[in-house]
């Protein structure tokens, strides 16, 4: 195999569990690279200190209280889990729908998914005051609790992602196993999202969450934000000349993104209509939701609509969809919009408690923010190292027997994409 | 909101109950009782005759089981309480049947079979509480007594009992005031809310590690040494009855009740236990003892002559958020 030839030739390549870790690339890395890594390490260290402080002083250092039993960690959990699935949908479409243009993304998408789920799980672990008690989840799981399902799904999903990455890089099992892993990972991603939505929607005590619409909204906003993030990181990897992508791939990705975006916004609109429609409006629902339109929580929900619809408006026209600047802007807008959506989703359940008592908007404490930033830094650090060390680039010959046909097809797509851009420029 | 004044279809007549459901000889050793109850719960649910309503509920329960994919949903297959006004001609023996049904449904859930370490094992009782909202003056004496009895941290920021002040003429939690000043006002009315020890407790169903369960006598307890602090039970409780010890309970040494743990409760969920350390020893709860107007009644539903049994049979009562189907074991009488 080509990979083995490489390892024979280049110095600094360490072979471990069948993967060539290119440690030599780290030695030759630029000062800017190391500056970025040390910045991430600093943030990570601050997060570590925050965690120690939290373990020492207990939950009181967090801004969560009985009115907000879940805070930033839960927002991040929902958000990261969502981002993880989007990339996987793209990757799966390579195998399931023959979307060959996404093939170069495969390793990046799977690595990103695995790291994001790891970050989501770390959020839970750092929130627990006694993390070792988590062992009870395995010893005496309660089958009526949605937590058991989402917790186990996230763990299994993370493992599947890393195994999948290993299969993709080493080529063990070939195309057949790469395909099989997709068939395992895609339903698992949907299962993970469904169960995460269940944590919210399976509560009759929280009227606003107790809606069957919650699951589809979770799935669509997860997919949309995940695709958007994948698009952004693909651009970064392209800019840094680590991976190569064609303009046509970004165009296809943007088309897919715009489609999922508008479905996502539609679901949200349906939910809002149900809450406010005169024949279905319940006073409790209206009071809670109104806080998020005109009340003190407007900052949480209004950006979801503004950024979400704005991003769709940018991507919808054929003429602008091909422009890299527009693609990146719209993706960034949606990634931010979904974060606001996750926050407002959490806050909506808690803003008025089951006894009708209002509590002012939740803002995380410094410790919580440092913890969250530390986890984010850890994820980005692993991604940064992987960019240098791991062979993320999909070899050309991996594209299979029809590589030539696909190549021509893609060239035609490229021409079309650049024609659009040219038209726009004119 | 919960105020559909769903009343028990109970006709007056405290003499009605037959020996069938009366407790035989309370002195009898009760060690075998919990196991019996666990074993018989699903069978009871299935063996009941299939009236139309029960059939429909059975369908619902099957759907629920499908959704949860689990056997414990069987426990919720038991028909809902006598609270639902059905119009079926079963009023004749309603009072006897009503309470019998309530007792039947109040079964242990996720009960690990080990006794609570700081209290005696469960007896044969089925505990229940009735609160007279007409008598309640909103003085919060029950809250203070509860804080002292149960070693609630003085700066923990919560109390087991929350008294809601409401305007006359409405029962609307959205406009209820929790932090009204000292003492009640004569032109308002007061609704004390605490853990309802529901027959179908969402907190017990929601706990991922079975760290909270329902005892054979109906008390919902928490294992402080097992709680993983996920706080899902706080989220899922419709009565806001559960609280988290964000700090270790700060109780002055001199004021500590030696019968209730303190340090173990740091960083875990906490709630009313119906003073398990008192009630299992033949005493009543601290809140009942402290109430200056006798608005609170606590007792055993198995005993047909207990205050709660008589009140349920003779008075019109409501349960908070009955539409949520949690079947709380605290009734309000007005």
């Amino acid at each position: 195999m080509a990979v083995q030839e490489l390892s024979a030739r280049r110095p600094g390549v360490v072979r471990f569990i069948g993967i060539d870790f290119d440690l030599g690339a780290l030695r030759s890395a630029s000062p800017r690279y190391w500056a970025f890594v040390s910045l991430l390490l600093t943030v990570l260290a601050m997060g570590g200190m925050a965690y120690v402080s939290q373990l020492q002083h207990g939950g009181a250092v967090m801004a969560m209280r009985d009115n907000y039993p879940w805070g930033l960690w839960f927002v991040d959990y929902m958000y990261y889990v969502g981002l993880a699935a989007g990339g996987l949908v793209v990757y799966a479409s390579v195998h399931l729908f023959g979307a060959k243009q996404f093939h170069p993304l495969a390793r990046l998408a799977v690595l990103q998914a695995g790291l994001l789920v790891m970050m989501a799980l770390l959020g839970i672990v750092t929130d627990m005051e006694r993390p070792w008690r988590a062992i009870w989840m395995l010893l005496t799981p309660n089958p009526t609790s949605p937590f058991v399902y989402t917790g186990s799904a996230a763990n299994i999903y993370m493992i599947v992602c890393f195994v999948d990455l290993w299969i993709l890089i080493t080529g063990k099992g070939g195309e057949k196993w790469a395909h099989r892993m997709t068939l395992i990972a895609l339903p698992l991603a949907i299962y993970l999202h469904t169960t995460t939505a269940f944590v919210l929607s399976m509560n009759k005590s929280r009227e606003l969450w107790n809606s069957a619409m919650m699951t589809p909204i979770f799935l669509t906003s997860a997919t949309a934000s995940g695709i958007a993030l994948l698009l952004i990181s693909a651009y970064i990897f392209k800019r840094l000349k680590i991976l190569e992508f064609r303009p046509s791939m970004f165009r296809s990705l943007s088309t897919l993104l715009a489609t999922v975006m508008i479905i996502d916004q539609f679901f949200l609109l349906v939910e809002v209509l149900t809450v406010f429609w005169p024949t279905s409006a319940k006073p409790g629902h209206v009071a809670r939701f109104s806080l998020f339109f005109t009340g003190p929580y407007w900052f949480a929900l209004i950006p979801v609509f503004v950024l979400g619809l704005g991003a769709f408006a940018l991507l919808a026209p054929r003429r602008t969809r091909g422009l890299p600047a527009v693609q990146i802007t719209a993706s960034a807008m949606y990634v931010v919009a979904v974060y606001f959506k996750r926050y407002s989703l959490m806050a909506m359940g808690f803003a008025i408690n089951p006894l009708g008592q209002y509590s002012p908007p939740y803002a995380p404490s410094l410790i919580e923010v440092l913890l969250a930033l530390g986890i984010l830094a850890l994820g980005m650090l692993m991604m940064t190292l992987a960019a240098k060390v791991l062979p993320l680039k999909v070899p050309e010959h991996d594209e299979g027997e029809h590589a030539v046909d696909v190549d021509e097809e893609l060239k035609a797509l490229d021409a079309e994409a650049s024609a659009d851009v040219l038209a726009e420029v004119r | 909101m919960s105020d559909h004044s769903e009343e028990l279809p109970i006709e007056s007549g405290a003499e009605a109950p037959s020996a069938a459901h009366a407790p035989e000889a309370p002195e009898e050793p009760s060690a075998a009782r919990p196991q019996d109850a666990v074993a018989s719960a699903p069978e009871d649910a299935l063996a009941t005759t299939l009236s139309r309503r029960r059939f429909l509920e059975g369908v619902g329960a099957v759907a629920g089981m499908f959704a949860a994919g689990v056997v414990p949903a069987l426990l919720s297959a038991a028909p809902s309480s006598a609270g639902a006004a059905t119009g079926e001609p079963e009023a004749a023996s309603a009072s006897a049947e009503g309470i019998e049904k309530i007792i039947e449904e109040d079964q242990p859930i996720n009960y690990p079979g080990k006794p609570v370490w700081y209290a005696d094992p469960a007896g044969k009782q089925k505990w229940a509480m009735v609160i007279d909202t007409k008598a309640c003056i909103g003085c919060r004496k029950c809250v203070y007594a509860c804080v002292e009895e149960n070693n609630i941290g003085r700066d923990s920021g919560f109390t087991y009992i929350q008294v809601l002040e409401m305007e006359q003429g409405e029962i609307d939690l959205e406009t209820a005031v929790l932090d009204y000043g000292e003492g009640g006002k004569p032109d308002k009315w007061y609704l004390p809310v605490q853990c309802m020890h529901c027959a179908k407790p969402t907190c017990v169903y929601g706990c991922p590690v079975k760290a909270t369960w329902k005892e054979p006598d109906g008390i919902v307890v928490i294992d402080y040494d097992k709680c993983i602090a996920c706080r899902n039970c706080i989220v899922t409780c419709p009565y806001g009855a559960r609280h988290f010890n964000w700090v270790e309970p700060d109780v002055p040494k001199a004021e500590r009740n030696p019968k209730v743990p303190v340090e173990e409760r740091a960083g875990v969920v906490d709630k009313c236990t119906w003073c398990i350390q008192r009630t299992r020893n033949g005493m009543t709860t601290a809140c009942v003892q402290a109430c200056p107007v006798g608005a609170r009644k606590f007792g055993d539903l198995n005993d047909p002559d207990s205050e709660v049994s008589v009140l349920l049979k003779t008075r019109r009562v409501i349960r908070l958020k009955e539409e949520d189907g949690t079947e709380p074991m605290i009734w309000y009488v007005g």
Side-chain angles (χ1 to χ4, degrees), chain A residues 80-202:
Chain A
Y80 290 149
V81 157
L83 289 174
L88 209 97
V89 168
V90 173
Y91 161 63
S93 62
V94 176
H95 290 276
L96 295 182
F97 311 118
K100 285 283 175 197
Q101 66 269 36
F102 297 142
H103 197 253
L105 273 172
R107 294 180 184 182
L108 179 64
V110 175
L111 173 68
Q112 187 174 295
L115 286 179
L116 282 165
V117 177
M118 183 201 74
M119 288 155 72
L121 285 169
L122 277 177
I124 297 186
V125 171
T126 52
D127 172 71
M128 294 169 77
E129 292 197 17
R130 299 176 183 85
W132 53 91
R133 283 193 187 175
I135 192 71
W136 289 112
M137 293 276 271
L138 297 172
L139 298 179
T140 56
N142 183 5
T144 45
S145 172
F147 246 75
V148 169
Y149 297 95
T150 188
S152 54
N155 277 295
I156 295 169
Y157 183 75
M158 182 178 73
I159 293 165
V160 164
C161 277
F162 287 131
V163 169
D164 197 5
L165 184 66
W166 182 79
I167 287 178
L168 283 177
I169 289 179
T170 59
K172 294 254 162 63
E175 190 71 1
K176 193 200 262 174
W177 263 102
H179 186 81
R180 278 186 194 159
M181 285 309 283
T182 317
L183 291 182
I184 297 170
L186 188 64
L188 199 58
I190 294 170
Y191 174 71
L192 174 58
H193 273 87
T194 309
T195 49
T196 309
F198 278 2
V199 169
L200 300 180
S201 65
M202 294 295 184

Side-chain angles (χ1 to χ4, degrees), chain A residues 162-297:
Chain A
F162 287 131
V163 169
D164 197 5
L165 184 66
W166 182 79
I167 287 178
L168 283 177
I169 289 179
T170 59
K172 294 254 162 63
E175 190 71 1
K176 193 200 262 174
W177 263 102
H179 186 81
R180 278 186 194 159
M181 285 309 283
T182 317
L183 291 182
I184 297 170
L186 188 64
L188 199 58
I190 294 170
Y191 174 71
L192 174 58
H193 273 87
T194 309
T195 49
T196 309
F198 278 2
V199 169
L200 300 180
S201 65
M202 294 295 184
N203 286 313
K204 53 188 167 192
S205 59
R206 311 277 169 174
E207 294 95 328
L208 275 177
W209 291 348
N210 193 5
S211 153
M213 200 44 143
M214 203 57 89
T215 306
I217 289 185
F218 252 79
L219 283 168
T220 51
S221 52
T223 313
S225 62
I227 295 172
L229 184 72
L230 190 62
L231 196 144
I232 292 172
S233 43
Y235 261 115
I236 293 172
F237 274 74
K238 189 186 178 191
R239 185 73 193 268
L240 297 174
K241 299 198 171 57
I242 298 164
L243 297 176
E244 284 162 25
F245 300 111
R246 296 161 186 280
S248 64
M249 190 212 73
F250 287 109
R251 227 188 100 92
S252 310
L253 216 49
S254 307
T255 313
L256 186 61
L257 180 58
T259 315
V260 185
M261 268 181 192
I262 199 64
I263 298 174
D264 190 28
Q265 294 290 316
F266 168 72
F267 283 164
L268 190 56
L269 186 70
V270 170
E271 181 69 29
V272 172
L273 277 180
T274 314
V275 172
F276 285 104
W277 199 263
T279 50
S280 73
K282 294 176 189 165
H285 286 197
V286 174
R288 283 169 171 84
F289 226 108
S290 300
L291 289 176
F292 287 83
F293 277 117
T294 52
Y297 287 86

